[in-house]
């Protein structure tokens, strides 16, 4: 590294060492019952985990077991450990501020009020809690954004002229930091805010809330990466479903048509996930412009002469 006053960047060198391991398997079966009915099913599952053996980091980070990158997966997310939101019960003297006069002696960020996020004092420069929340208290707060486990399932069946195909997909063991995804009050500084935040914000009458209190713009204490904002993005989705019917040849032959099939295809018909206001598959790419997953319905007819 070079001191910042040099105004220069060193060329990147591929000196990291990473170990990857995992497994993948596919299993399928098909059953022909009779000339009128057959069905099949196939599934796949993949688990892949990596571990960083050598990676560049500062001495302070490397020597802190909570912050070191060594031995952890690539993309491991770090931040503060949240203890939830302060409530009015923490404001023992009722002055609207939570500090040493209320018996709270941990220094956080800015002035603390009911409805702000409380952080755990995990460590200080010497490895023991020091009554101050700073970089020494950062720790691993979730899975990498890239899922460790992915899976899919395809099932189809045919009965006389009817056919149906279902395709499920999903992933597990991944986390997303939703800070900024429609969850921060007036993130654009005094502009509008979202229903997701507004309907689930902290108030005196709603202290068991999903999000901190309302402020005119993002507040210094609450706008920190922490486990408070981490959500599990595991999901199972019915990605596509197709239903069709092929007219009997006894009908199509009368009008010199080879075959006629009418069909319907639906995309993203069902998603099972704990994250309901965002697409759990989206990752970090879209940030504040993220939009819930869209359904698509298509009807068609195929005629072969």
């Amino acid at each position: 590294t070079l001191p910042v006053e040099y105004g220069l960047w060193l060329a990147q060198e591929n000196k990291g060492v990473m170990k990857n391991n995992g497994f993948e398997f596919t299993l399928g079966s098909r059953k022909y019952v009779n000339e009128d009915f057959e069905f099949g099913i196939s599934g796949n599952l993949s688990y892949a985990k990596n571990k960083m053996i050598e990676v560049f980091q500062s001495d302070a980070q490397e020597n802190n077991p909570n912050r070191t990158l060594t031995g952890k997966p690539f993309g491991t997310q770090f931040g503060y450990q949240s203890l939830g939101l302060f409530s009015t019960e923490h404001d023992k003297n009722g002055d609207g501020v939570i500090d040493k006069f209320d018996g709270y002696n941990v220094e956080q960020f800015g002035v603390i009020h009911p409805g702000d996020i409380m952080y755990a004092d995990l460590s200080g420069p010497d490895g023991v809690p020091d009554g101050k929340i700073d970089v020494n208290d950062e720790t691993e707060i979730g899975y990498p954004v890239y899922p460790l486990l992915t899976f899919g399932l395809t099932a189809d069946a045919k009965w006389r002229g009817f056919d149906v195909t279902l395709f499920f997909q999903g992933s597990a063991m991944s986390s997303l930091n939703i800070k900024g995804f429609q969850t921060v009050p007036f993130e654009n500084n005094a502009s509008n805010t979202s229903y997701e935040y507004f309907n689930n914000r902290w108030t005196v009458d709603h202290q068991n809330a999903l999000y901190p209190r309302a402020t005119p713009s993002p507040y210094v204490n609450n706008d920190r990466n922490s486990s408070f904002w981490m959500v599990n993005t595991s999901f199972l989705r019915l990605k596509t479903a197709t239903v069709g019917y092929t007219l009997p040849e006894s009908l199509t032959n009368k009008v010199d048509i080879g075959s006629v099939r009418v069909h319907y295809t639906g995309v993203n018909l069902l998603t099972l996930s704990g994250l309901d206001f965002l697409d759990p598959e989206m990752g970090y790419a879209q940030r504040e412009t993220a939009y819930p997953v869209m359904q698509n319905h298509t009807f068609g007819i195929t005629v072969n002469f």
Side-chain angles (χ1 to χ4, degrees):
T1 59
L2 291 173
V4 65
E5 59 267 20
Y6 276 45
L8 300 173
W9 293 95
L10 290 175
Q12 297 294 306
E13 295 185 51
N14 188 14
K15 298 182 66 175
V17 178
M18 180 187 296
K19 179 180 180 180
N20 293 272
N21 56 71
F23 63 86
E24 180 177 6
F25 73 86
T26 300
L27 182 66
S29 178
R30 188 156 199 88
K31 177 69 173 179
Y32 179 83
V33 180
N34 53 48
E35 62 181 10
D36 290 330
F37 181 54
E38 65 176 290
F39 65 93
I41 186 170
S42 65
N44 67 282
L45 184 145
S46 175
Y47 174 80
K49 184 177 182 179
N50 63 70
K51 180 171 63 175
M52 290 183 284
I53 307 300
E54 294 182 18
V55 60
F56 174 79
Q57 54 187 337
S58 66
D59 291 340
Q61 185 176 19
E62 185 175 9
N63 296 329
N64 187 329
N66 293 326
R67 299 176 58 211
T68 182
L69 299 175
T70 305
K72 295 183 173 65
F74 175 77
T76 295
Q77 303 184 68
F78 292 86
Y80 299 110
Q81 186 66 49
S82 167
L83 299 177
L85 295 174
F86 287 101
S87 69
T88 52
E89 293 183 357
H90 294 96
D91 182 18
K92 300 185 185 304
N93 61 10
D95 63 353
V97 175
I98 299 173
D99 52 23
K100 63 181 180 180
F101 299 107
D102 302 293
Y104 187 71
N105 297 307
V106 177
E107 180 184 342
Q108 293 199 176
F109 306 97
V111 179
I112 305 302
H113 304 273
D116 288 339
I117 300 174
M118 181 190 303
Y119 301 114
D121 182 15
L122 300 180
S123 178
D126 56 358
V128 297
D130 60 352
K132 181 180 181 180
I133 304 300
D134 55 21
V135 67
N136 295 296
D137 299 294
E138 291 185 357
T139 187
E140 183 177 352
I141 57 175
Y143 286 111
V145 67
Y146 315 104
L148 303 181
L149 186 69
T150 58
F151 45 85
L153 178 72
T154 300
D156 70 276
K158 295 180 180 180
W159 179 71
R160 296 185 176 178
F162 292 95
D163 64 88
V164 58
T165 302
L166 304 177
F167 171 51
F168 295 87
Q169 69 169 130
S171 66
M173 303 177 71
S174 61
S175 302
L176 179 66
N177 183 346
I178 62 170
K179 181 176 67 69
F181 282 108
Q182 310 172 37
T183 57
V184 174
F186 304 105
E187 185 162 24
N188 293 324
N189 295 327
S191 65
N192 205 348
T193 192
S194 69
Y195 280 114
E196 172 63 24
Y197 169 75
F198 182 82
N199 292 334
N200 297 287
R201 75 194 190 282
W202 185 95
T203 66
V204 173
D205 298 324
H206 184 207
Q207 303 208 30
N208 187 26
L210 293 178
Y211 307 117
R213 65 188 175 94
T215 51
S217 61
Y219 191 60
V220 60
N221 182 78
N222 304 327
D223 194 29
R224 305 277 171 167
N225 287 335
S226 73
S227 60
F228 184 89
W229 300 108
M230 300 302 295
V231 296
N232 189 321
T233 53
S234 300
F235 75 96
L236 175 64
R237 171 174 293 153
L238 176 55
K239 186 65 177 180
T240 59
T242 300
V243 179
Y245 177 69
T246 302
L247 273 61
E249 292 182 359
S250 59
L251 294 178
T252 56
N253 288 341
K254 292 180 179 179
V255 290
D256 292 330
I257 295 178
S259 64
V260 177
R261 179 176 179 266
V262 293
H263 55 88
Y264 158 78
T265 298
V267 179
N268 297 327
L269 297 180
L270 174 67
T271 300
L272 302 178
S273 171
L275 185 62
D276 59 359
F277 71 98
L278 292 174
D279 180 1
E281 194 179 10
M282 62 164 292
Y284 279 87
Q286 301 177 56
R287 297 302 296 174
E288 292 83 354
T289 60
Y291 203 76
V293 62
M294 299 292 289
Q295 287 188 354
N296 190 314
H297 304 273
T298 303
F299 298 88
I301 180 170
T302 303
V303 181
N304 293 318
F305 294 93

